[in-house]
Amino acid sequence: MKIELKVPKYIKKIQEKLLENGYECYFVGGCIRDTLLGLKVNDYDISTNCDTITLKKLFSKYNIVNNNGEKHNTITLHIKGDNVEITTFKHNDEETPTIEVDLKHRDLTINALAYSNEIIDITGGIDDINNKIIRANDPELRIKEDPLRILRVLRFASKLGFEIEKKTNDAILKYKDLLKNVSAERIKHELEEILEGKDVYKILEKYYDIIFVIIPELKCSYKFNQNNPYHENTLYEHIINVCRNIKINNNLEEFALLRMAALLHDIGKPNCFSIDVNGVGHFYGHPEESAIIATNILKRLKFSNSEISKIVYLIKFHDSIINLTKKSIIKNFSHTPNQNEELFYMLLELINADKLDHTKYELIDIEKVKNIINEIKEEKQCLKLSDLKVNGYDIIKLGYKGKKIGEVLDYLLDLVIDDKIKNERDSLMAMALNYRTLNDKKDNPVKISEIDFVPLHKR
């Protein structure tokens, strides 16, 4: 079968170099699958009979990255912003390395496709693409070789909306506990890909047992009755509905963070559950509890500090009440790390996605919020710390050190937002001194509650 595989010129040069030196060269996997599906091709992987030592010599003038791949007989070239993986034919010791043998060792039939002048398909991958089926070659053997393939099955089912074939389905459920031996970094990547899929709800609903292996903290949400008139679904059903309610976004980084926040946003509810005299369930303090649990999960899965900061912010404030008034928007916006507008709008998306799974709700008009924030900026109202007429150096001059500097600035910002003082240097400096008087009494510091003011981030 012939197809038109549109390969960038700088990648064709790699193919030409291998062929010129007498080696076989095939494009494999995702680039062929996505071409057949009419999708944009993002990765071009190459398979060859050239060994990695020779590959490194042939491409020594290129930027070779990810040396860890060598243990899997792979080198990665970084060219014009793209990573191109070149892998020596996969095979066992007793097998002769050929492209046909290589394809038998690949995880899924839809990825076991090669192309030179025409497509090579020995596992029925094209039929499975046409029939929208996810099927592994000898599922149990492939999973034992690399248990991460359990999540890869779910990833492609979620992304493509394909059905998982029965033997493959049975194998991933049977060997799900092998995921406990897979590195956190690899699990993180596949979990994000699953969450970004259009069929995320279906996968999370049907394969919850697998999800609970990698995030056991979610298990207590399964079949948890919320006993609340605003929630007709169990807690786990609510969580996966909120994941689905996050609209697909072309900004994949934002989208991944939002769906991860949705997955974890109510994970602390069971710890905060109480029932009142009328038999109604309540979850007081659950956003803060969920943020604490989520932090531990995200650290375990090796999310970056920046990613953790954003996701935890979204979780901590997902239950915020935001009215379409300047005062309400300024107050809520002031919580946002570094007063990041895009992150604040992400919070509004999460709040709306959450509300959509309530029995009664009123969605926030995000466009109106954006217009109000633009008005606030045009009027040069105090919106963030950098808008204050004093800064950290001013606070240092008053004798404050370390964390106290930030505390004082937060205190002043909240007073200005609450219209308790004007954003003028003299007034701000006077209140900063007053803060020290109130909080630095020897042996008997004044509690925040005695100041008639509670900083927003502590409310």
Side-chain angles (χ1 to χ4, degrees):
M1 178 179 179
K2 288 185 178 290
I3 59 170
E4 185 181 354
L5 190 64
K6 296 179 180 178
V7 182
K9 288 182 181 179
Y10 58 88
I11 294 178
K12 279 187 178 178
K13 286 183 180 179
I14 297 171
Q15 180 188 38
E16 290 166 3
K17 194 169 188 67
L18 284 166
L19 294 174
E20 286 168 4
N21 283 274
Y23 295 103
E24 296 177 52
C25 177
Y26 298 90
F27 292 102
V28 291
C31 60
I32 303 162
R33 178 197 68 233
D34 290 345
T35 298
L36 290 171
L37 287 167
L39 302 174
K40 180 184 177 183
V41 176
N42 294 311
D43 299 301
Y44 291 89
D45 296 336
I46 290 172
S47 192
T48 179
N49 59 342
C50 182
D51 62 84
T52 52
I53 293 173
T54 306
L55 283 171
K56 289 177 75 173
K57 290 178 181 177
L58 284 176
F59 298 102
S60 59
K61 293 182 180 180
Y62 286 78
N63 181 15
I64 300 177
V65 297
N66 188 24
N67 290 328
N68 290 333
E70 288 182 43
K71 61 186 177 184
H72 302 295
N73 295 315
T74 299
I75 70 164
T76 304
L77 307 182
H78 187 70
I79 316 169
K80 295 189 177 181
D82 287 337
N83 286 337
V84 182
E85 287 189 356
I86 310 176
T87 304
T88 303
F89 289 153
K90 300 173 185 290
H91 66 286
N92 291 332
D93 291 340
E94 66 274 11
E95 294 175 319
T96 302
T98 64
I99 187 60
E100 289 78 13
V101 169
D102 174 283
L103 295 178
K104 287 181 182 178
H105 282 274
R106 293 184 177 267
D107 55 359
L108 305 174
T109 59
I110 62 171
N111 296 330
L113 300 168
Y115 178 86
S116 181
N117 295 317
E118 61 181 9
I119 295 179
I120 300 173
D121 173 20
I122 61 168
T123 65
I126 294 174
D127 285 342
D128 285 345
I129 288 173
N130 291 334
N131 294 319
K132 300 185 176 182
I133 299 256
I134 300 294
R135 179 165 59 90
N137 284 316
D138 194 345
E140 293 200 6
L141 179 59
R142 295 287 83 82
I143 288 168
K144 287 176 184 177
E145 285 176 347
D146 184 0
L148 185 72
R149 286 170 171 167
I150 295 168
L151 295 185
R152 283 179 62 79
V153 168
L154 299 187
R155 165 192 176 180
F156 286 107
S158 179
K159 286 269 190 180
L160 300 175
F162 286 11
E163 291 293 326
I164 299 172
E165 174 265 340
K166 187 178 185 308
K167 285 184 179 179
T168 305
N169 176 84
D170 294 345
I172 64 175
L173 291 171
K174 180 179 178 180
Y175 293 105
K176 63 183 183 297
D177 287 330
L178 292 180
L179 285 168
K180 294 175 183 177
N181 302 320
V182 177
S183 71
E185 291 88 349
R186 298 180 76 209
I187 285 175
K188 171 189 182 286
H189 175 72
E190 296 302 328
L191 177 59
E192 287 178 312
E193 294 282 342
I194 291 167
L195 291 176
E196 289 171 16
K198 61 183 178 182
D199 258 10
V200 62
Y201 175 86
K202 184 176 177 181
I203 297 304
L204 294 178
E205 179 193 38
K206 186 173 181 179
Y207 296 99
Y208 57 87
D209 276 348
I210 294 174
I211 300 302
F212 295 164
V213 172
I214 57 179
I215 307 180
E217 294 90 340
L218 271 172
K219 194 170 185 178
C220 60
S221 69
Y222 191 69
K223 293 187 178 179
F224 187 98
N225 188 338
Q226 300 187 76
N227 286 301
N228 188 285
Y230 288 97
H231 292 282
E232 60 185 8
N233 293 317
T234 66
L235 179 55
Y236 186 70
E237 287 169 341
H238 168 68
I239 286 171
I240 64 178
N241 273 327
V242 176
C243 284
R244 175 172 56 182
N245 291 341
I246 298 293
K247 296 175 184 176
I248 291 177
N249 188 333
N250 290 331
N251 186 328
L252 286 182
E253 183 181 353
E254 269 188 21
F255 184 46
L257 292 176
L258 268 169
R259 283 238 166 126
M260 185 60 68
L263 184 67
L264 304 179
H265 81 283
D266 274 352
I267 201 165
K269 270 190 169 181
N271 293 355
C272 302
F273 183 61
S274 63
I275 297 182
D276 65 21
V277 293
N278 297 313
V280 177
H282 299 281
F283 305 93
Y284 300 118
H286 81 271
E288 293 79 8
E289 179 69 12
S290 297
I292 292 168
I293 296 170
T295 299
N296 293 329
I297 293 167
L298 296 169
K299 285 182 177 178
R300 185 176 73 231
L301 292 176
K302 306 299 182 184
F303 278 74
S304 69
N305 289 336
S306 173
E307 290 170 326
I308 292 173
S309 172
K310 291 174 181 176
I311 294 170
V312 168
Y313 158 76
L314 294 171
I315 293 170
K316 189 173 181 181
F317 294 102
H318 80 267
D319 216 26
S320 299
I321 297 172
I322 302 176
N323 299 314
L324 291 178
T325 65
K326 290 180 182 178
K327 189 170 183 179
S328 175
I329 290 168
I330 291 172
K331 276 190 173 185
N332 283 281
F333 179 71
S334 68
H335 302 146
T336 312
N338 302 316
Q339 281 70 53
N340 182 329
E341 281 187 48
E342 293 308 314
L343 185 57
F344 182 61
Y345 300 140
M346 287 169 64
L347 174 64
L348 303 186
E349 286 189 52
L350 179 59
I351 291 172
N352 279 350
D354 188 18
K355 285 183 174 185
L356 282 169
D357 196 55
H358 289 193
T359 54
K360 297 178 182 179
Y361 60 83
E362 184 177 345
L363 299 181
I364 299 169
D365 189 325
I366 298 177
E367 288 306 312
K368 284 187 179 179
V369 172
K370 290 181 179 180
N371 290 336
I372 291 172
I373 285 183
N374 286 333
E375 286 177 22
I376 291 166
K377 289 194 291 188
E378 286 174 9
E379 293 167 3
K380 297 185 178 178
Q381 290 191 41
C382 192
L383 190 61
K384 53 189 182 295
L385 290 176
S386 60
D387 294 333
L388 287 172
K389 299 301 182 182
V390 294
N391 56 37
Y393 293 109
D394 296 315
I395 305 306
I396 290 170
K397 289 176 182 176
L398 296 177
Y400 291 101
K401 297 178 181 178
K403 292 181 179 179
K404 281 288 181 185
I405 300 166
E407 286 179 18
V408 173
L409 288 170
D410 286 338
Y411 170 71
L412 296 176
L413 178 62
D414 282 350
L415 288 177
V416 172
I417 289 171
D418 281 340
D419 290 328
K420 292 191 174 181
I421 62 169
K422 291 184 178 180
N423 186 20
E424 297 172 348
R425 178 179 168 77
D426 290 346
S427 299
L428 294 169
M429 293 295 275
M431 288 307 297
L433 281 170
N434 188 49
Y435 181 85
R436 182 169 60 191
T437 303
L438 289 170
N439 288 276
D440 292 348
K441 289 183 179 178
K442 290 182 180 180
D443 302 322
N444 188 27
V446 175
K447 295 180 181 177
I448 280 291
S449 58
E450 297 173 9
I451 304 176
D452 187 33
F453 167 76
V454 181
L456 286 169
H457 66 279
K458 295 183 180 178
R459 292 179 186 176

